[in-house]
Protein backbone atom coordinates (compact mmCIF):
# COMPACT_ATOMS: atom_id res chain seq x y z
CA UNK A 1 0.00 0.00 0.00
CA UNK A 2 1.10 3.57 -0.65
CA UNK A 3 2.86 5.05 2.33
CA UNK A 4 3.43 1.67 3.95
CA UNK A 5 6.78 1.42 5.74
CA UNK A 6 9.04 -1.26 4.28
CA UNK A 7 11.30 -3.12 6.68
CA UNK A 8 15.03 -2.71 6.13
CA UNK A 9 17.46 -5.48 7.13
CA UNK A 10 21.00 -4.17 7.19
CA UNK A 11 22.52 -7.65 7.69
CA UNK A 12 21.48 -8.53 4.14
CA UNK A 13 23.54 -5.70 2.64
CA UNK A 14 26.51 -5.21 4.96
CA UNK A 15 30.13 -5.06 3.79
CA UNK A 16 30.74 -8.76 4.45
CA UNK A 17 27.80 -9.72 2.24
CA UNK A 18 28.98 -7.33 -0.47
CA UNK A 19 32.42 -8.95 -0.57
CA UNK A 20 30.78 -12.36 -0.99
CA UNK A 21 28.50 -10.95 -3.68
CA UNK A 22 31.53 -9.71 -5.61
CA UNK A 23 33.20 -13.12 -5.32
CA UNK A 24 30.15 -14.94 -6.66
CA UNK A 25 29.53 -12.33 -9.35
CA UNK A 26 33.08 -12.93 -10.56
CA UNK A 27 32.09 -16.54 -11.11
CA UNK A 28 29.60 -15.40 -13.74
CA UNK A 29 32.42 -13.54 -15.48
CA UNK A 30 34.51 -16.71 -15.42
CA UNK A 31 31.63 -18.69 -16.88
CA UNK A 32 31.30 -16.21 -19.74
CA UNK A 33 35.04 -16.55 -20.41
CA UNK A 34 34.44 -20.30 -20.72
CA UNK A 35 31.72 -19.60 -23.31
CA UNK A 36 34.11 -17.42 -25.30
CA UNK A 37 36.82 -20.07 -25.08
CA UNK A 38 34.48 -22.80 -26.32
CA UNK A 39 33.40 -20.63 -29.26
CA UNK A 40 37.04 -19.99 -30.15
CA UNK A 41 37.75 -23.72 -30.12
CA UNK A 42 34.75 -24.22 -32.40
CA UNK A 43 35.93 -21.43 -34.70
CA UNK A 44 39.32 -23.08 -34.99
CA UNK A 45 38.16 -26.63 -35.63
CA UNK A 46 34.87 -26.48 -37.57
CA UNK A 47 34.89 -26.79 -41.36
CA UNK A 48 35.01 -23.30 -42.83
CA UNK A 49 31.87 -23.66 -44.96
CA UNK A 50 29.72 -24.32 -41.88
CA UNK A 51 31.58 -22.20 -39.35
CA UNK A 52 29.16 -19.29 -38.97
CA UNK A 53 26.19 -21.63 -38.71
CA UNK A 54 27.95 -23.73 -36.09
CA UNK A 55 28.91 -20.69 -34.03
CA UNK A 56 25.52 -19.01 -34.15
CA UNK A 57 23.69 -22.22 -33.23
CA UNK A 58 25.93 -22.57 -30.18
CA UNK A 59 25.26 -18.97 -29.17
CA UNK A 60 21.49 -19.35 -29.55
CA UNK A 61 21.56 -22.71 -27.78
CA UNK A 62 23.40 -21.03 -24.91
CA UNK A 63 20.76 -18.34 -24.55
CA UNK A 64 17.86 -20.78 -24.86
CA UNK A 65 19.30 -22.81 -21.99
CA UNK A 66 20.12 -19.62 -20.08
CA UNK A 67 16.55 -18.32 -20.45
CA UNK A 68 14.95 -21.67 -19.64
CA UNK A 69 16.99 -21.79 -16.44
CA UNK A 70 15.54 -18.47 -15.31
CA UNK A 71 12.03 -19.78 -15.88
CA UNK A 72 12.38 -23.06 -14.03
CA UNK A 73 15.92 -24.40 -13.60
CA UNK A 74 17.21 -22.76 -10.45
CA UNK A 75 14.21 -23.87 -8.43
CA UNK A 76 15.29 -27.48 -8.90
CA UNK A 77 18.85 -26.89 -7.68
CA UNK A 78 17.79 -24.72 -4.72
CA UNK A 79 15.22 -27.33 -3.67
CA UNK A 80 17.88 -29.28 -1.78
CA UNK A 81 18.11 -26.46 0.77
CA UNK A 82 14.32 -26.14 1.01
CA UNK A 83 13.91 -29.85 1.62
CA UNK A 84 16.66 -29.68 4.25
CA UNK A 85 14.47 -27.35 6.32
CA UNK A 86 11.25 -29.34 5.75
CA UNK A 87 9.92 -27.29 2.82
CA UNK A 88 9.23 -28.85 -0.59
CA UNK A 89 10.45 -28.88 -4.16
CA UNK A 90 7.31 -27.01 -5.18
CA UNK A 91 8.05 -24.28 -2.63
CA UNK A 92 11.46 -23.79 -4.22
CA UNK A 93 10.05 -23.71 -7.76
CA UNK A 94 7.45 -21.12 -6.73
CA UNK A 95 10.08 -18.90 -5.10
CA UNK A 96 12.67 -19.11 -7.87
CA UNK A 97 10.89 -19.10 -11.21
CA UNK A 98 11.23 -15.86 -13.20
CA UNK A 99 8.21 -14.35 -11.45
CA UNK A 100 8.92 -15.87 -8.04
CA UNK A 101 9.01 -14.05 -4.73
CA UNK A 102 12.69 -14.64 -3.97
CA UNK A 103 14.00 -13.91 -7.45
CA UNK A 104 12.17 -10.57 -7.52
CA UNK A 105 12.69 -9.44 -3.92
CA UNK A 106 15.10 -6.70 -2.84
CA UNK A 107 17.50 -8.35 -0.40
CA UNK A 108 17.37 -5.49 2.12
CA UNK A 109 13.59 -5.95 2.44
CA UNK A 110 13.78 -9.68 3.24
CA UNK A 111 14.25 -10.79 6.83
CA UNK A 112 17.41 -12.93 7.16
CA UNK A 113 15.33 -15.29 9.27
CA UNK A 114 13.25 -15.96 6.14
CA UNK A 115 16.13 -16.14 3.63
CA UNK A 116 19.68 -15.15 4.66
CA UNK A 117 22.15 -14.06 1.99
CA UNK A 118 19.48 -13.46 -0.63
CA UNK A 119 21.73 -11.42 -2.92
CA UNK A 120 24.16 -14.35 -3.13
CA UNK A 121 21.40 -16.76 -4.12
CA UNK A 122 20.09 -14.33 -6.72
CA UNK A 123 23.57 -13.98 -8.22
CA UNK A 124 23.81 -17.77 -8.26
CA UNK A 125 20.82 -17.88 -10.61
CA UNK A 126 22.89 -16.00 -13.19
CA UNK A 127 25.93 -18.17 -12.45
CA UNK A 128 24.11 -21.48 -12.91
CA UNK A 129 22.09 -20.19 -15.87
CA UNK A 130 25.45 -19.75 -17.64
CA UNK A 131 26.19 -23.41 -17.06
CA UNK A 132 22.78 -24.46 -18.32
CA UNK A 133 23.80 -22.67 -21.52
CA UNK A 134 27.29 -24.21 -21.49
CA UNK A 135 25.74 -27.70 -21.35
CA UNK A 136 24.02 -26.86 -24.66
CA UNK A 137 27.24 -25.57 -26.24
CA UNK A 138 29.02 -28.78 -25.26
CA UNK A 139 26.21 -30.92 -26.64
CA UNK A 140 26.35 -28.97 -29.90
CA UNK A 141 29.99 -30.00 -30.35
CA UNK A 142 28.68 -33.56 -30.68
CA UNK A 143 25.96 -32.78 -33.25
CA UNK A 144 27.35 -29.73 -35.06
CA UNK A 145 26.60 -29.62 -38.82
CA UNK A 146 24.54 -32.83 -38.55
CA UNK A 147 21.43 -31.89 -36.56
CA UNK A 148 18.70 -29.57 -37.79
CA UNK A 149 18.72 -26.21 -36.03
CA UNK A 150 15.08 -26.60 -34.99
CA UNK A 151 15.78 -29.99 -33.43
CA UNK A 152 18.87 -28.68 -31.64
CA UNK A 153 16.93 -25.76 -30.16
CA UNK A 154 14.30 -28.14 -28.79
CA UNK A 155 17.13 -30.19 -27.27
CA UNK A 156 18.57 -26.98 -25.77
CA UNK A 157 15.36 -26.28 -23.85
CA UNK A 158 14.85 -29.87 -22.72
CA UNK A 159 18.48 -30.27 -21.70
CA UNK A 160 18.38 -27.10 -19.59
CA UNK A 161 15.51 -28.51 -17.54
CA UNK A 162 16.94 -32.03 -17.32
CA UNK A 163 20.45 -30.89 -16.35
CA UNK A 164 18.88 -28.69 -13.65
CA UNK A 165 17.24 -31.75 -12.14
CA UNK A 166 20.56 -33.61 -12.31
CA UNK A 167 22.31 -30.68 -10.59
CA UNK A 168 19.83 -30.92 -7.70
CA UNK A 169 20.52 -34.65 -7.33
CA UNK A 170 24.30 -34.61 -7.70
CA UNK A 171 25.83 -31.18 -7.00
CA UNK A 172 25.68 -28.96 -3.96
CA UNK A 173 25.58 -29.68 -0.26
CA UNK A 174 22.50 -31.76 0.52
CA UNK A 175 21.05 -33.02 -2.76
CA UNK A 176 19.90 -36.67 -2.71
CA UNK A 177 23.07 -38.24 -4.14
CA UNK A 178 25.44 -35.63 -2.71
CA UNK A 179 24.17 -36.09 0.82
CA UNK A 180 24.44 -39.86 0.39
CA UNK A 181 28.17 -39.62 -0.41
CA UNK A 182 28.70 -38.69 -4.07
CA UNK A 183 31.42 -36.04 -4.23
CA UNK A 184 31.62 -33.60 -7.14
CA UNK A 185 33.13 -30.22 -6.33
CA UNK A 186 32.88 -28.63 -9.78
CA UNK A 187 29.75 -30.10 -11.29
CA UNK A 188 31.45 -32.64 -13.55
CA UNK A 189 28.32 -34.78 -13.42
CA UNK A 190 25.66 -32.37 -14.59
CA UNK A 191 27.85 -30.11 -16.77
CA UNK A 192 30.06 -32.71 -18.50
CA UNK A 193 28.78 -36.26 -18.08
CA UNK A 194 25.15 -35.33 -18.78
CA UNK A 195 25.70 -33.87 -22.30
CA UNK A 196 28.19 -36.67 -23.02
CA UNK A 197 25.40 -39.14 -22.23
CA UNK A 198 23.18 -37.35 -24.73
CA UNK A 199 25.98 -37.54 -27.30
CA UNK A 200 26.26 -41.32 -26.86
CA UNK A 201 22.69 -41.58 -28.11
CA UNK A 202 22.62 -38.91 -30.78
CA UNK A 203 25.90 -39.43 -32.64
CA UNK A 204 24.94 -42.91 -33.96
CA UNK A 205 21.57 -41.50 -35.09
CA UNK A 206 23.20 -38.80 -37.23
CA UNK A 207 25.33 -39.15 -40.34
CA UNK A 208 29.07 -38.69 -40.02
CA UNK A 209 30.36 -35.39 -41.38
CA UNK A 210 31.68 -35.62 -44.96
CA UNK A 211 35.42 -36.11 -45.11
CA UNK A 212 35.93 -37.15 -41.48
CA UNK A 213 36.57 -40.85 -42.05
CA UNK A 214 37.18 -41.01 -45.80
CA UNK A 215 37.05 -38.66 -48.80
CA UNK A 216 33.60 -37.63 -49.98
CA UNK A 217 32.88 -36.89 -53.68
CA UNK A 218 32.56 -33.18 -52.79
CA UNK A 219 34.64 -33.04 -49.59
CA UNK A 220 38.12 -34.56 -49.96
CA UNK A 221 38.82 -34.21 -46.23
CA UNK A 222 37.67 -32.45 -43.09
CA UNK A 223 40.04 -29.51 -42.65
CA UNK A 224 40.20 -27.32 -39.55
CA UNK A 225 40.59 -23.63 -40.45
CA UNK A 226 42.81 -22.52 -37.53
CA UNK A 227 44.18 -24.82 -34.85
CA UNK A 228 46.02 -21.78 -33.44
CA UNK A 229 42.68 -20.12 -32.77
CA UNK A 230 41.55 -23.23 -30.92
CA UNK A 231 44.67 -22.99 -28.74
CA UNK A 232 43.72 -19.41 -27.85
CA UNK A 233 40.28 -20.71 -26.89
CA UNK A 234 41.93 -23.28 -24.64
CA UNK A 235 43.83 -20.58 -22.75
CA UNK A 236 40.71 -18.40 -22.53
CA UNK A 237 38.98 -21.23 -20.67
CA UNK A 238 42.08 -21.59 -18.46
CA UNK A 239 41.84 -17.89 -17.62
CA UNK A 240 38.14 -17.94 -16.74
CA UNK A 241 37.79 -21.00 -14.57
CA UNK A 242 39.63 -19.77 -11.42
CA UNK A 243 36.77 -17.30 -10.89
CA UNK A 244 34.30 -20.16 -11.22
CA UNK A 245 36.21 -22.13 -8.57
CA UNK A 246 35.70 -19.26 -6.13
CA UNK A 247 31.96 -19.55 -6.70
CA UNK A 248 32.04 -23.23 -5.71
CA UNK A 249 33.09 -22.30 -2.17
CA UNK A 250 31.12 -21.18 0.87
CA UNK A 251 32.70 -18.54 3.10
CA UNK A 252 31.67 -18.83 6.76
CA UNK A 253 32.68 -17.55 10.16
CA UNK A 254 35.25 -17.05 11.51
CA UNK A 255 35.77 -14.22 9.01
CA UNK A 256 36.00 -15.95 5.61
CA UNK A 257 36.78 -19.60 6.27
CA UNK A 258 36.39 -21.46 2.96
CA UNK A 259 34.59 -24.78 2.79
CA UNK A 260 33.59 -26.42 -0.47
CA UNK A 261 30.03 -26.52 -1.73
CA UNK A 262 30.12 -30.21 -0.80
CA UNK A 263 30.94 -29.16 2.79
CA UNK A 264 34.45 -30.63 2.69
CA UNK A 265 37.33 -28.88 4.43
CA UNK A 266 39.40 -26.91 1.93
CA UNK A 267 41.06 -23.54 1.37
CA UNK A 268 41.14 -21.03 -1.47
CA UNK A 269 44.86 -21.52 -2.08
CA UNK A 270 44.76 -25.31 -2.23
CA UNK A 271 41.71 -25.36 -4.54
CA UNK A 272 43.32 -22.87 -6.94
CA UNK A 273 46.65 -24.71 -6.97
CA UNK A 274 44.90 -28.02 -7.59
CA UNK A 275 43.24 -26.41 -10.58
CA UNK A 276 46.60 -25.18 -11.88
CA UNK A 277 48.30 -28.55 -11.46
CA UNK A 278 45.42 -30.39 -13.12
CA UNK A 279 46.02 -28.37 -16.28
CA UNK A 280 49.80 -28.78 -15.96
CA UNK A 281 49.66 -32.54 -15.47
CA UNK A 282 47.34 -32.94 -18.43
CA UNK A 283 49.51 -30.71 -20.59
CA UNK A 284 52.65 -32.75 -19.83
CA UNK A 285 51.06 -36.09 -20.72
CA UNK A 286 49.17 -34.65 -23.66
CA UNK A 287 52.38 -33.23 -25.12
CA UNK A 288 54.13 -36.60 -24.83
CA UNK A 289 51.22 -38.38 -26.54
CA UNK A 290 50.98 -35.74 -29.28
CA UNK A 291 54.66 -35.96 -30.20
CA UNK A 292 54.70 -39.76 -29.95
CA UNK A 293 51.68 -40.13 -32.25
CA UNK A 294 52.22 -36.97 -34.35
CA UNK A 295 48.59 -36.01 -33.69
CA UNK A 296 48.08 -32.39 -32.71
CA UNK A 297 44.66 -33.07 -31.13
CA UNK A 298 46.30 -34.27 -27.92
CA UNK A 299 48.03 -30.92 -27.43
CA UNK A 300 44.51 -29.54 -26.88
CA UNK A 301 42.89 -32.60 -25.33
CA UNK A 302 45.72 -33.12 -22.82
CA UNK A 303 45.27 -29.99 -20.66
CA UNK A 304 41.48 -30.27 -20.87
CA UNK A 305 41.60 -33.94 -19.87
CA UNK A 306 43.77 -33.09 -16.87
CA UNK A 307 41.38 -30.35 -15.81
CA UNK A 308 38.25 -32.49 -16.21
CA UNK A 309 39.81 -35.36 -14.28
CA UNK A 310 40.57 -33.12 -11.32
CA UNK A 311 37.50 -30.88 -11.30
CA UNK A 312 35.45 -33.16 -9.06
CA UNK A 313 38.12 -33.02 -6.35
CA UNK A 314 39.81 -29.59 -6.47
CA UNK A 315 38.60 -29.06 -2.90
CA UNK A 316 39.98 -32.24 -1.31
CA UNK A 317 43.09 -33.29 -3.23
CA UNK A 318 46.56 -32.40 -2.04
CA UNK A 319 48.42 -30.67 -4.89
CA UNK A 320 50.82 -33.56 -5.47
CA UNK A 321 47.89 -35.97 -5.65
CA UNK A 322 46.15 -33.72 -8.16
CA UNK A 323 49.19 -33.65 -10.41
CA UNK A 324 49.49 -37.45 -10.42
CA UNK A 325 45.81 -37.94 -11.25
CA UNK A 326 46.03 -35.37 -14.05
CA UNK A 327 49.06 -37.10 -15.56
CA UNK A 328 46.93 -40.17 -16.20
CA UNK A 329 43.93 -38.39 -17.68
CA UNK A 330 45.26 -37.80 -21.24
CA UNK A 331 46.10 -41.50 -21.47
CA UNK A 332 42.45 -42.34 -20.79
CA UNK A 333 41.31 -39.70 -23.29
CA UNK A 334 43.73 -41.13 -25.86
CA UNK A 335 42.42 -44.68 -25.41
CA UNK A 336 38.79 -43.56 -25.70
CA UNK A 337 39.51 -41.31 -28.69
CA UNK A 338 41.29 -44.03 -30.63
CA UNK A 339 38.69 -46.67 -29.71
CA UNK A 340 35.78 -44.54 -30.90
CA UNK A 341 37.52 -43.23 -34.02
CA UNK A 342 38.31 -46.72 -35.25
CA UNK A 343 34.63 -47.55 -34.87
CA UNK A 344 33.66 -44.49 -36.93
CA UNK A 345 32.01 -42.72 -34.02
CA UNK A 346 32.05 -39.12 -35.23
CA UNK A 347 32.46 -37.34 -31.90
CA UNK A 348 35.94 -36.57 -30.65
CA UNK A 349 35.52 -34.11 -27.79
CA UNK A 350 32.83 -35.07 -25.28
CA UNK A 351 33.45 -38.81 -25.32
CA UNK A 352 37.22 -38.84 -24.65
CA UNK A 353 37.14 -35.83 -22.31
CA UNK A 354 33.99 -36.43 -20.29
CA UNK A 355 33.08 -40.11 -20.55
CA UNK A 356 36.80 -40.92 -20.46
CA UNK A 357 38.70 -38.39 -18.35
CA UNK A 358 35.66 -37.22 -16.36
CA UNK A 359 34.67 -40.71 -15.23
CA UNK A 360 38.32 -41.57 -14.58
CA UNK A 361 38.60 -38.51 -12.32
CA UNK A 362 35.50 -39.36 -10.32
CA UNK A 363 36.77 -42.92 -9.83
CA UNK A 364 40.26 -41.78 -8.81
CA UNK A 365 38.67 -39.43 -6.28
CA UNK A 366 36.85 -42.42 -4.79
CA UNK A 367 40.17 -44.24 -4.51
CA UNK A 368 42.54 -41.45 -3.42
CA UNK A 369 40.21 -39.69 -0.99
CA UNK A 370 37.97 -42.47 0.32
CA UNK A 371 36.78 -41.70 3.85
CA UNK A 372 37.11 -37.90 3.53
CA UNK A 373 34.31 -36.25 5.58
CA UNK A 374 31.86 -34.13 3.61
CA UNK A 375 28.13 -33.59 3.03
CA UNK A 376 25.42 -32.15 5.22
CA UNK A 377 25.35 -28.44 6.05
CA UNK A 378 27.44 -26.27 8.35
CA UNK A 379 25.81 -25.46 11.68
CA UNK A 380 23.74 -28.67 11.75
CA UNK A 381 25.10 -31.05 14.37
CA UNK A 382 22.83 -34.10 14.12
CA UNK A 383 20.37 -35.84 11.86
CA UNK A 384 20.32 -36.58 8.14
CA UNK A 385 21.94 -33.25 7.26
CA UNK A 386 24.58 -33.07 9.98
CA UNK A 387 27.72 -31.26 8.87
CA UNK A 388 30.24 -33.67 7.28
CA UNK A 389 28.23 -36.74 8.24
CA UNK A 390 29.10 -38.50 4.94
CA UNK A 391 32.32 -39.78 3.44
CA UNK A 392 33.70 -40.09 -0.06
CA UNK A 393 33.49 -43.66 -1.33
CA UNK A 394 34.18 -45.45 -4.60
CA UNK A 395 30.69 -46.98 -4.66
CA UNK A 396 28.99 -43.58 -4.53
CA UNK A 397 31.33 -42.17 -7.18
CA UNK A 398 30.35 -45.01 -9.51
CA UNK A 399 26.69 -44.43 -8.70
CA UNK A 400 27.05 -40.76 -9.59
CA UNK A 401 28.62 -41.59 -12.95
CA UNK A 402 25.77 -43.96 -13.80
CA UNK A 403 23.10 -41.42 -12.77
CA UNK A 404 24.60 -38.50 -14.72
CA UNK A 405 25.42 -40.38 -17.92
CA UNK A 406 22.15 -42.31 -17.66
CA UNK A 407 20.15 -39.09 -17.32
CA UNK A 408 21.74 -37.82 -20.53
CA UNK A 409 20.99 -41.07 -22.33
CA UNK A 410 17.32 -41.10 -21.26
CA UNK A 411 16.85 -37.40 -22.05
CA UNK A 412 18.26 -37.85 -25.55
CA UNK A 413 16.32 -41.04 -26.28
CA UNK A 414 12.96 -39.52 -25.35
CA UNK A 415 13.60 -36.19 -27.07
CA UNK A 416 14.95 -37.82 -30.23
CA UNK A 417 11.95 -40.15 -30.43
CA UNK A 418 9.57 -37.18 -30.37
CA UNK A 419 11.59 -35.14 -32.86
CA UNK A 420 12.01 -38.00 -35.33
CA UNK A 421 8.23 -38.36 -35.41
CA UNK A 422 7.64 -34.62 -35.89
CA UNK A 423 10.17 -32.12 -37.25
CA UNK A 424 13.02 -34.55 -37.93
CA UNK A 425 16.61 -34.64 -36.71
CA UNK A 426 19.16 -34.86 -39.49
CA UNK A 427 20.78 -32.49 -41.92
CA UNK A 428 21.06 -34.24 -45.29
CA UNK A 429 24.43 -35.45 -46.58
CA UNK A 430 24.06 -33.10 -49.56
CA UNK A 431 23.57 -30.07 -47.32
CA UNK A 432 26.51 -31.02 -45.12
CA UNK A 433 28.74 -31.35 -48.18
CA UNK A 434 27.58 -28.00 -49.59
CA UNK A 435 28.16 -26.22 -46.28
CA UNK A 436 25.46 -24.75 -44.08
CA UNK A 437 26.71 -21.16 -44.13
CA UNK A 438 25.74 -20.56 -47.76
CA UNK A 439 22.59 -22.67 -47.67
CA UNK A 440 21.13 -21.17 -44.48
CA UNK A 441 22.52 -17.65 -44.47
CA UNK A 442 24.03 -16.86 -47.84
CA UNK A 443 27.44 -16.50 -46.20
CA UNK A 444 30.41 -17.36 -48.40
CA UNK A 445 33.98 -17.91 -47.23
CA UNK A 446 36.47 -15.19 -48.12
CA UNK A 447 39.17 -17.69 -49.10
CA UNK A 448 39.41 -20.60 -51.50
CA UNK A 449 39.21 -23.83 -49.51
CA UNK A 450 40.74 -27.19 -50.44
CA UNK A 451 37.27 -28.34 -51.41
CA UNK A 452 37.13 -25.64 -54.10
CA UNK A 453 40.41 -26.58 -55.77
CA UNK A 454 40.38 -28.58 -59.01
CA UNK A 455 40.85 -32.30 -58.42
CA UNK A 456 43.71 -34.15 -60.03
Amino acid sequence: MEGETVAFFADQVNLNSLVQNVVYASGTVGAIFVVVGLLLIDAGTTRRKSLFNSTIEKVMGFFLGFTTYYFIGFGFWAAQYYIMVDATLMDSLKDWWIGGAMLNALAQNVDPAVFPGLNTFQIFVFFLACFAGIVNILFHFAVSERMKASAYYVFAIVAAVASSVVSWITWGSVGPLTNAGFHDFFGVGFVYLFPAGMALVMVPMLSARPGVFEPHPRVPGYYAPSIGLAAVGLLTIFAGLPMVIMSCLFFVDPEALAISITMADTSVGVAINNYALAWAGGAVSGTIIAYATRKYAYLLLGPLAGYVSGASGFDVYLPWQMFLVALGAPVIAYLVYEFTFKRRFDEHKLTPLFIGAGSYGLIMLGLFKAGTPRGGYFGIEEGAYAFQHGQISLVMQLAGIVVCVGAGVVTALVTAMVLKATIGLKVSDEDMAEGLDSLRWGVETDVVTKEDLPRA
Side-chain angles (χ1 to χ4, degrees), residues 38-373:
L38 291 171
L39 294 178
L40 287 171
I41 290 173
D42 188 55
T45 57
T46 298
R47 180 172 168 241
R48 193 180 296 275
K49 288 188 172 184
S50 292
L51 179 53
F52 173 76
N53 187 75
S54 178
T55 298
I56 206 63
E57 284 184 2
K58 283 181 173 65
V59 172
M60 294 302 104
F62 171 85
F63 280 112
L64 280 173
F66 186 91
T67 303
T68 301
Y69 197 84
Y70 266 92
F71 272 89
I72 189 170
F74 188 76
F76 284 112
W77 182 79
Q80 59 188 288
Y81 300 106
Y82 279 66
I83 293 169
M84 180 182 71
V85 295
D86 298 323
T88 66
L89 169 62
M90 189 55 64
D91 292 329
S92 180
L93 292 173
K94 287 179 179 177
D95 278 350
W96 290 103
W97 76 289
I98 197 169
M102 290 298 103
L103 188 60
N104 290 276
L106 300 180
Q108 64 268 21
N109 300 147
V110 176
D111 189 343
V114 175
F115 208 107
L118 181 60
N119 271 330
T120 293
F121 256 68
Q122 289 176 337
I123 293 167
F124 231 65
V125 182
F126 185 2
F127 174 72
L128 286 175
C130 287
F131 281 93
I134 287 170
V135 166
N136 290 336
I137 292 177
L138 294 172
F139 174 63
H140 193 267
F141 275 110
V143 299
S144 176
E145 303 177 62
R146 290 160 281 177
M147 180 180 281
K148 287 183 176 180
S150 55
Y152 168 66
Y153 293 146
V154 172
F155 260 99
I157 294 169
V158 172
V161 177
S163 65
S164 301
V165 175
V166 177
S167 74
W168 161 46
I169 295 170
T170 64
W171 186 73
S173 312
V174 289
L177 210 60
T178 303
N179 201 51
F182 176 61
H183 190 90
D184 183 6
F185 170 70
F186 209 67
V188 170
F190 81 95
V191 178
Y192 301 144
L193 294 186
F194 173 78
M198 292 200 296
L200 290 179
V201 172
M202 296 313 304
V203 171
M205 290 188 183
L206 304 171
S207 301
R209 291 165 295 174
V212 170
F213 295 112
E214 68 266 323
H216 181 277
R218 297 178 60 193
V219 186
Y222 194 93
Y223 302 111
S226 176
I227 301 304
L229 189 61
V232 173
L234 183 78
L235 287 176
T236 303
I237 295 171
F238 182 53
L241 284 172
M243 292 180 279
V244 180
I245 288 176
M246 295 292 289
S247 294
C248 294
L249 299 170
F250 280 122
F251 298 94
V252 299
D253 289 332
E255 294 296 335
L257 172 67
I259 56 176
S260 76
I261 195 166
T262 59
M263 298 290 124
D265 292 335
T266 190
S267 71
V268 173
V270 166
I272 294 293
N273 279 317
N274 281 336
Y275 168 77
L277 287 169
W279 279 79
V284 169
S285 290
T287 300
I288 293 171
I289 293 171
Y291 279 95
T293 62
R294 298 184 63 81
K295 294 181 179 179
Y296 70 83
Y298 297 107
L299 295 169
L300 303 177
L301 286 175
L304 287 171
Y307 150 68
V308 172
S309 74
S312 56
F314 287 153
D315 55 336
V316 295
Y317 278 123
L318 300 177
W320 67 267
Q321 293 173 327
M322 182 72 270
F323 185 71
L324 289 179
V325 170
L327 280 175
V331 177
I332 303 299
Y334 166 77
L335 294 173
V336 174
Y337 187 114
E338 297 300 322
F339 177 85
T340 54
F341 190 87
K342 289 176 182 176
R343 284 153 184 79
R344 301 173 65 85
F345 188 82
D346 186 14
E347 199 293 296
H348 313 305
K349 296 181 179 72
L350 276 64
T351 312
L353 286 177
F354 304 154
I355 299 294
S359 297
Y360 157 80
L362 286 164
I363 291 169
M364 293 305 291
L365 183 59
L367 294 173
F368 265 85
K369 306 304 292 186
T372 302

